[in-house]
Amino acid sequence: MSKKDIDWGNIGFEYVVTDKRYVSNYKDGAWDAGGLTSDDKITISEDAGVLQYSQSCFEGLKAYTTKDGHIVCFRPDLNAQRMYDSAKRLEMPPFPVDRFIDAVHQVVAANADWVPPYGSGATLYIRPYMFASSPVIGVKPADEYQFRIFVTPVGPYFKGGAKPIVVKISDFDRAAPRGTGHIKAGLNYAMSLHAIVTAHAEGFAENIYLDPATRTKIEETGGANIIFVDKDGNLVVPKSDSILPSITRRSIVHVAEKYLGLKVAEREVLLSEVPNFKECGLCGTAAVISPVGKINDHGKEIAFASGMEKMGPVIQKLYDTLTGIQMGSIEAPEGWIHKVE
Ligand code: PLP
Ligand code: COI
């Protein structure tokens, strides 16, 4: 076994077929024992619930090579719990939390050669997902499901890596009040595709969605939560029932309070107060913390004091501390780091 011959420093956020993936099937009311396979193809009924009524959910987390050469995962227990919650909301049989964590360990260990080296700037993205595999024709939950995990090495989510991006306020809504915005359902992403294609065509890196009820409050982007730094250097984090409870955001809040001694306000954030903030960033597993230089609100530009060249000082400190914890150069809170090998 030896590391794959990849130019780790220059890969983007693209799918690459790796060696092994994990599969477990749900049938007759129970999940089977599950296991690893080399087969990256899936054969299902033309009438599978996922194909007709989009009954699917997924997760995203990462494995890292630490400074001292171990392979670790970051907080997989929180992804396991979030997928459990997603499954329940979609009337799917939840995959047990302990089995999810064990499966993540198995897939990462089996693909150890694909885990990018420490300091390369790349990481191993882990994609657990679940879908309805048996036929349905009336609108109802399927009887059978498949849970899978594959991994793929990735670089930065946004082109340009840590360079600030420009995002727009979207005219589309991401989630309905009392809808599915708080879970990681595939359908949330299907409906965002037209909005992201539109934003890219206009030259923006992402969409900021507003609360659908009043369109006055900041929610999140298509693939990340949003954080702000106010004029006193405190962290301000939008709170809403219809955004995804980002594990990165929850970790950042802890890092800000406990490691950096910052004050954190988790509250509703009005679009009208955004011009008062000094720094802005998008946070998520894929996005890590990506700095935002400008927000375009229907032609009106909100430019942050941190500018378009580099991260602002507070977001830089949060980024350095979070990634330091993930890659083993800063001591992690109890239970955050799971050693795979
Ligand atoms: N919000 C959305 C819509 C996402 O797709 C993601 C990505 O997972 C996040 C937020 C960030 O969540 P996490 O930090 O758990 O990856
Ligand atoms: C993640 O960060 O894991 C996500 O699922 C977001 C997606 C845009 C790749």
Side-chain angles (χ1 to χ4, degrees):
M1 301 276 275
S2 61
K3 287 282 175 205
K4 301 289 170 186
D5 183 19
I6 291 174
D7 182 8
W8 303 106
N10 286 308
I11 58 173
F13 200 90
E14 302 291 339
Y15 170 70
V16 175
V17 186
T18 52
D19 296 336
K20 299 283 182 190
R21 63 275 306 128
Y22 180 90
V23 186
S24 177
N25 287 294
Y26 181 90
K27 196 175 172 177
D28 300 329
W31 288 104
D32 69 12
L36 297 173
T37 173
S38 300
D39 189 358
D40 64 324
K41 300 289 186 292
I42 299 170
T43 304
I44 47 173
S45 163
E46 63 184 357
D47 189 34
V50 63
L51 301 179
Q52 302 309 323
Y53 303 125
S54 299
Q55 204 186 3
S56 75
C57 59
F58 71 99
E59 271 303 324
L61 67 159
K62 281 176 172 172
Y64 309 82
T65 304
T66 60
K67 209 173 172 184
D68 55 3
H70 293 295
I71 295 176
V72 301
C73 295
F74 185 69
R75 310 190 80 181
D77 48 319
L78 298 192
N79 295 93
Q81 185 59 50
R82 192 169 63 189
M83 189 149 175
Y84 196 98
D85 299 340
S86 296
K88 290 197 75 142
R89 176 64 176 79
L90 296 168
E91 291 296 337
M92 305 171 86
F95 196 69
V97 165
D98 54 339
R99 285 199 56 195
F100 178 110
I101 297 168
D102 175 59
V104 165
H105 281 236
Q106 285 190 46
V107 188
V108 173
N111 293 288
D113 293 347
W114 294 92
V115 186
Y118 176 76
S120 64
T123 50
L124 189 76
Y125 187 70
I126 305 166
R127 172 52 62 86
Y129 59 113
M130 194 200 287
F131 55 89
S133 53
S134 62
V136 286
I137 195 67
V139 178
K140 62 173 187 173
D143 294 325
E144 295 175 14
Y145 295 84
Q146 193 166 104
F147 170 85
R148 297 177 74 101
I149 306 178
F150 68 76
V151 297
T152 191
V154 295
Y157 189 68
F158 293 106
K159 286 190 194 77
K163 276 258 175 186
I165 53 174
V166 183
V167 301
K168 69 169 280 191
I169 301 291
S170 182
D171 287 322
F172 300 99
D173 293 330
R174 171 183 173 273
R178 296 174 292 281
T180 56
H182 61 299
I183 61 162
K184 216 159 160 57
L187 60 91
N188 292 343
Y189 298 80
M191 56 61 56
S192 76
L193 295 176
H194 179 60
I196 193 67
V197 169
T198 306
H200 284 167
E202 293 168 357
F204 301 109
E206 250 290 11
N207 283 297
I208 289 184
Y209 294 101
L210 301 177
D211 75 293
T214 70
R215 295 195 56 81
T216 57
K217 294 172 233 164
I218 299 287
E219 292 251 303
E220 62 173 327
T221 68
N225 281 183
I226 305 175
I227 56 175
F228 297 100
V229 177
D230 72 12
K231 60 178 180 12
D232 301 318
N234 301 321
L235 195 64
V236 180
V237 182
K239 188 173 170 178
S240 157
D241 290 341
S242 50
I243 65 177
L244 195 75
S246 159
I247 293 159
T248 314
R249 183 248 300 165
R250 286 181 270 163
S251 305
I252 287 170
V253 166
H254 183 91
V255 163
E257 286 176 334
K258 302 282 187 280
Y259 283 63
L260 303 179
L262 303 181
K263 281 208 200 96
V264 181
E266 294 188 76
R267 60 168 175 85
E268 289 186 340
V269 174
L270 293 171
L271 172 60
S272 60
E273 63 179 306
V274 171
N276 304 335
F277 295 135
K278 279 203 322 208
E279 299 179 40
C280 176
L282 308 187
C283 67
T285 299
V288 193
I289 306 180
S290 300
V292 173
K294 288 180 195 165
I295 297 176
N296 189 297
D297 175 15
H298 300 89
K300 218 172 51 207
E301 261 194 359
I302 303 170
F304 294 99
S306 48
M308 287 303 297
E309 280 311 307
K310 54 181 175 37
M311 288 189 193
V314 176
I315 287 198
Q316 183 75 59
K317 263 193 235 158
L318 288 167
Y319 178 93
D320 291 344
T321 313
L322 179 70
T323 56
I325 289 170
Q326 289 167 333
M327 293 179 205
S329 61
I330 296 176
E331 193 172 341
E334 178 78 28
W336 281 24
I337 300 297
H338 287 226
K339 198 155 137 188
V340 172
E341 64 176 39

